[in-house]
Amino acid sequence: EAKALGRNRTAVYDPAMQDKAAERAHYEARLRGAIRAGEIVPHYQPLINLKTGDICGFEALARWTDTSGRSVPPPVFIAIAEETGLITELFETLLSRACHDAASWPSEVTLSFNISPVQMKDPLLASRILKIIHDAGLDASRLEVEITENALIEDPELASGLLKELHAAGIQIALDDFGTGYSSLSQLARYRFDKIKIDKSFIATHDDERQDKIVLAMLSLGRSLNVAITAEGIEQHQQLAYLLAHGCDIGQGYLFGKAMPASQASAYIAERQAAGQTA
Ligand code: C2E
Ligand code: MG
Ligand code: MG
Ligand code: MG
């Protein structure tokens, strides 16, 4: 105990620790300011129904361009938001904006939204989501929440309750980054998902035989569980051809488009529909 205390006492006066605290305070202030100034906004990456070629949804991806014009990568500022407790404020701001944007899209185009593992501990999460979609006038069936495997392991009871609440409201649930987290398969056994998103690391190399076989197994798993499969990170035509040939349902990746601002999303839908009519 004395040893632990000694360690703690040293830590308090550790100049490196103070720097860290100062750095954190600095980022927290910057992030709070950025959220309130509207510097962080959702962009939208298309999700394509591979069988029809139609756009079936957009995934909202947070983008922060600071006042000097530099963009901060989402994993960086989301981690800061999680550590500083700003994640709820950031989430509410982004989801509200995204729901308003999505309300202007055709009704068959859904909105996918990422939930941070830290948010899973918030017992009010479901009611927060429901209030936001209600205020935006977006039908619950048009929202899909993306959750990673790691978000489900900490408190399975709480997670299970949350997913049930969301399902009961008509919201869809996707398992994101499938295959990269802990105990992927036990998650599939425990929870009911509407969609599985194969992580882009499995799609990245189209000429790796072992990897292709794993993707094949994931597609077959989706079919037997009757869960739609999305492949992330499609960049090349060969990847698309392989996924298409093996019955993958939905595709996402730079081949179809990067995340774009709301002002371009509507034009993208119109273009895609026009292309479909002539095909
Ligand atoms: P994610 O949910 O798995 O999102 C997909 C990521 O893959 C996005 O990175 C997207 O830009 C990238 N991506 C899509 N297609 C391709 C492709 O063809 N090639 C490559 N190389 N990358 C592709 P992004 O936007 O940097 O986001 C990274 C992660 O940050 C997301 O991974 C998600 O976990 C998190 N994130 C982003 N926005 C939000 C948000 O609003 N809330 C929360 N909680 N997390 C978010
Ligand atoms: Mg996602
Ligand atoms: Mg993902
Ligand atoms: Mg990811």
Side-chain angles (χ1 to χ4, degrees):
E1 205 186 31
K3 214 173 175 185
L5 201 65
R7 211 184 285 138
N8 283 340
R9 200 174 282 140
T10 338
V12 172
Y13 298 108
D14 182 350
M17 276 287 278
Q18 275 185 343
D19 282 357
K20 226 178 168 186
E23 194 179 285
R24 186 186 131 139
H26 167 77
Y27 277 124
E28 180 176 350
R30 263 190 74 194
L31 184 62
R32 182 177 282 114
I35 296 168
R36 297 192 180 160
E39 284 174 30
I40 307 179
V41 294
H43 280 205
Y44 301 100
Q45 187 178 27
L47 300 163
I48 305 297
N49 178 330
L50 295 182
K51 272 146 208 160
T52 63
D54 293 335
I55 176 158
C56 55
F58 282 107
E59 177 175 4
L61 293 163
R63 294 291 179 262
W64 179 9
T65 308
D66 71 12
T67 42
S68 64
R70 265 189 302 257
S71 63
V72 186
V76 171
F77 65 79
I78 283 157
I80 298 170
E82 287 173 345
E83 283 165 32
T84 55
L86 285 169
I87 190 70
T88 297
E89 188 177 340
L90 177 61
F91 162 77
E92 290 188 331
T93 306
L94 287 170
L95 181 61
S96 165
R97 177 108 185 224
C99 287
H100 279 98
D101 289 337
S104 74
W105 304 335
S107 59
E108 67 275 14
V109 179
T110 58
L111 170 69
S112 297
F113 201 92
N114 294 286
I115 300 288
S116 139
V118 170
Q119 293 183 265
M120 302 289 287
K121 289 179 215 144
D122 175 5
L124 295 177
L125 183 58
S127 52
R128 287 185 207 281
I129 294 173
L130 291 175
K131 180 175 190 312
I132 290 168
I133 57 175
H134 179 262
D135 288 352
L138 187 76
D139 200 274
S141 65
R142 291 183 58 201
L143 180 69
E144 178 176 86
V145 157
E146 295 193 1
I147 293 168
T148 59
E149 294 154 348
N150 298 347
L152 299 167
I153 48 170
E154 200 164 312
D155 191 337
E157 289 293 301
L158 202 63
S160 180
L162 172 71
L163 299 196
K164 277 194 192 120
E165 253 184 290
L166 295 177
H167 265 151
I171 293 170
Q172 314 226 58
I173 297 159
L175 182 58
D176 203 356
D177 300 348
F178 181 69
T180 62
Y182 303 108
S183 61
S184 306
L185 296 177
S186 63
Q187 309 288 19
L188 286 186
R190 195 195 300 252
Y191 305 99
R192 187 167 69 76
F193 297 99
D194 303 286
K195 218 168 269 170
I196 295 170
K197 298 187 76 175
I198 303 178
D199 190 70
K200 58 178 175 291
S201 60
F202 294 101
I203 310 296
T205 50
H206 61 86
D207 49 3
D208 183 327
E209 209 180 306
R210 291 169 65 84
Q211 196 171 263
D212 282 354
K213 284 182 179 155
I214 294 173
V215 169
L216 219 57
M218 290 182 183
L219 292 171
S220 129
L221 191 59
R223 261 191 302 276
S224 28
L225 291 174
N226 204 17
V227 175
I229 300 268
T230 303
E232 293 185 326
I234 305 176
E235 295 184 358
Q236 297 158 359
H237 281 104
Q238 294 103 304
Q239 295 166 333
L240 174 61
Y242 182 83
L243 291 161
L244 207 52
H246 295 97
C248 183
D249 304 286
I250 298 161
Q252 176 177 10
Y254 296 166
L255 185 64
F256 304 111
K258 292 189 173 181
M260 60 191 88
S263 58
Q264 287 170 27
S266 299
Y268 184 96
I269 297 172
E271 260 170 51
R272 193 91 209 167
Q273 283 173 340
Q277 275 158 16
T278 58

